[in-house]
Amino acid sequence: QVQLEESGGGLAQAGGSLRLSCAASGGIFSINTMGWYRQAPGKQRELVATATNGGSTNYADSVKGRFTISRDNAKRTVYLQMNSLKPEDTAVYYCNAQYLHITYWGQGTQVTVSS
């Protein structure tokens, strides 16, 4: 089993920045894909960005050019640098990991962007 612990959420003003971190523990093999999803009130959970252990990344169109995902495979940690934040980025952000064909989720961290 894999456990995911997120940190770094909070309150930011529009145009500001926040950095999320997610550390994985448990399991003995490399985690293939780690990423971030978000869910705003009344909306479905949506992809934000993912990164494979080989270095490939994928972004939602809404965050391209503003958010950057990165991984430290040795630390089994994934980061999300969020710049030029917008009020519509307000959501609970969830860390996600694909490990041995099983999907794991973190508990979520709130990001609130004020206008």
Side-chain angles (χ1 to χ4, degrees):
Q1 280 216 345
V2 170
Q3 294 80 42
L4 302 173
E5 183 172 356
E6 301 136 333
S7 59
L11 177 65
Q13 290 188 333
S17 299
L18 286 172
R19 188 187 194 216
L20 305 182
S21 300
C22 173
S25 60
I28 61 173
F29 299 105
S30 174
I31 297 175
N32 181 25
T33 302
M34 297 185 76
W36 294 93
Y37 288 70
R38 68 186 181 187
Q39 187 167 17
K43 295 188 177 181
Q44 289 189 330
R45 191 172 298 188
E46 63 177 5
L47 168 74
V48 177
T50 60
T52 70
N53 56 3
S56 297
T57 58
N58 181 48
Y59 293 92
D61 288 343
S62 59
V63 306
K64 282 180 182 176
R66 300 188 299 121
F67 292 9
T68 302
I69 190 169
S70 60
R71 285 180 62 165
D72 184 331
N73 290 328
K75 294 182 179 179
R76 304 181 100 207
T77 299
V78 63
Y79 306 95
L80 186 68
Q81 178 65 45
M82 305 185 292
N83 298 329
S84 302
L85 283 162
K86 303 176 180 180
E88 51 263 42
D89 294 319
T90 295
V92 178
Y93 284 69
Y94 294 92
C95 181
N96 171 282
Q98 303 293 322
Y99 180 72
L100 299 179
H101 306 293
I102 297 174
T103 299
Y104 294 90
W105 293 96
Q107 79 282 0
T109 185
Q110 177 70 45
V111 170
T112 302
V113 183
S114 62
S115 59

